[in-house]
Amino acid sequence: MPSSDFSWSIPFMRAGYAGRGLVYLVVAGFSLYAIWLGGQAQGTSSALDQLENTGWGMAVLFLIFLGMLAYAIWRLIDAIYDLEAYGSEAKGMIARTGMLITGLIHLAIGISAFSLLFLGGGDSGGGGGSSITGAVSTVMGLPAGRWIVGIVGAIVIATGGYYLHKAWKEKYRQHIRANEFTLRWNFMLKAGLGAQGLVIAIIGGLFVYAAWRANASEAGGVGEAFDWLTAQPYGQFLVVFVCIGLLGFALFCFVNAAYRIIPKAEGDDIETLGARLEAKAKREIG
């Protein structure tokens, strides 16, 4: 067992990943429903706005708020104590810094849910693009602002590439407990993580394009990424494909909530999905 007891952090991790999965389930679900009715895919803010108007939406918004708060706390704890053993070298510090950034991003989603719950929403608007545009416009007004936006976009593209690489190489398997469910649904975990990486990379590309054109309105979030995909050849098909993939990413988050392994909190003697699949491959070869 680890020398320090970090088991107290596990509930934050589980609640955080469950909340994250709920967000993507709502976004992908509302998007697919809107497309079915002949509309457009929804961004995160638009999906939350629509959720407010459903009979069960307030309860789901409250769960999202709690989940996003828990996820932000978990990422802070994980980064400070290095619970997933990324280390203090350059690569590890980059990973731990990324945890803080993703924690802040998801905290912002939680604040949006809180606003809809207790402040009546009001200015959350459409697809969340207005708030992103406003932030990008402010940054562009700073000295070297276009460079800052462009660099942020490049970092976001790299993050998307990391998710795609992680999906392709199935590196996530080293952090998930091996059992019958994770073995059977591994292909959906892989597809879901890949879809998330694609959406993040597109968002990063929009930021770079906004910096190049010196036009803050070109930047955006998930909704704008869907709009960009829609404008491509076979765009509607691509959006549907990505939305189905994001349902897989929601499953990926729920699986992490239930089966993610945190070595410094649970010990390192738990069989991972990766170890089980590698042993199975060796038996088949032998």
Side-chain angles (χ1 to χ4, degrees):
M1 292 296 292
S3 57
S4 299
D5 183 11
F6 289 106
S7 58
W8 54 270
S9 68
I10 298 299
F12 289 105
M13 180 272 290
R14 299 203 188 287
Y17 274 108
R20 196 182 186 199
L22 192 56
V23 168
Y24 283 96
L25 183 63
V26 167
V27 171
F30 272 116
S31 293
L32 289 171
Y33 183 67
I35 292 170
W36 177 264
L37 296 178
Q40 298 294 319
Q42 305 294 302
T44 304
S45 294
S46 292
L48 294 182
D49 285 344
Q50 291 193 36
L51 193 60
E52 183 187 20
N53 299 319
T54 64
W56 39 268
M58 301 306 281
V60 177
L61 282 171
F62 185 67
L63 291 176
I64 288 174
F65 164 64
L66 292 180
M68 294 299 90
L69 180 61
Y71 189 79
I73 294 172
W74 156 246
R75 278 316 194 186
L76 178 63
I77 295 169
D78 195 8
I80 292 174
Y81 294 106
D82 192 22
L83 297 187
E84 296 182 280
Y86 284 103
S88 299
E89 301 297 326
K91 185 177 180 180
M93 294 307 296
I94 291 172
R96 292 163 71 179
T97 301
M99 293 176 190
L100 295 175
I101 294 172
T102 57
L104 289 173
I105 291 171
H106 286 82
L107 180 60
I109 296 174
I111 292 172
S112 295
F114 180 90
S115 175
L116 291 168
L117 274 169
F118 301 110
L119 303 179
D123 60 351
S124 56
S130 58
S131 60
I132 293 176
T133 299
V136 172
S137 180
T138 299
V139 173
M140 281 189 175
L142 300 173
R146 288 175 64 184
W147 283 99
I148 294 172
V149 172
I151 290 170
V152 169
I155 292 172
V156 174
I157 291 173
T159 302
Y162 169 75
Y163 274 105
L164 289 166
H165 175 75
K166 190 175 180 180
W168 180 257
K169 295 294 185 180
E170 298 185 335
K171 291 183 177 293
Y172 59 87
R173 301 185 310 183
Q174 304 306 322
H175 299 283
I176 296 176
R177 188 187 303 267
N179 56 43
E180 189 64 28
F181 182 87
T182 56
L183 284 168
R184 179 174 299 175
W185 292 98
N186 180 53
F187 74 97
M188 279 297 293
L189 303 182
K190 182 173 182 175
L193 192 58
Q196 169 70 351
L198 177 61
V199 171
I200 290 175
I202 292 172
I203 292 171
L206 293 175
F207 271 72
V208 171
Y209 187 66
W212 178 54
R213 295 288 301 272
N215 184 356
S217 65
E218 299 288 355
V222 175
E224 287 68 32
F226 284 152
D227 290 342
W228 182 86
L229 279 171
T230 301
Q232 308 310 306
Y234 306 102
Q236 199 76 316
F237 172 80
L238 291 174
V239 172
V240 170
F241 181 78
V242 169
C243 286
I244 293 172
L246 290 180
L247 289 178
F249 186 71
L251 176 65
F252 177 86
C253 293
F254 290 133
V255 165
N256 275 269
Y259 303 121
R260 191 171 183 85
I261 300 169
I262 310 301
K264 289 189 178 181
E266 301 174 281
D268 54 5
D269 57 346
I270 302 173
E271 185 184 23
T272 66
L273 176 61
R276 177 76 67 85
L277 289 172
E278 287 174 8
K280 180 180 178 181
K282 288 180 180 178
R283 288 196 302 269
E284 291 175 352
I285 294 173

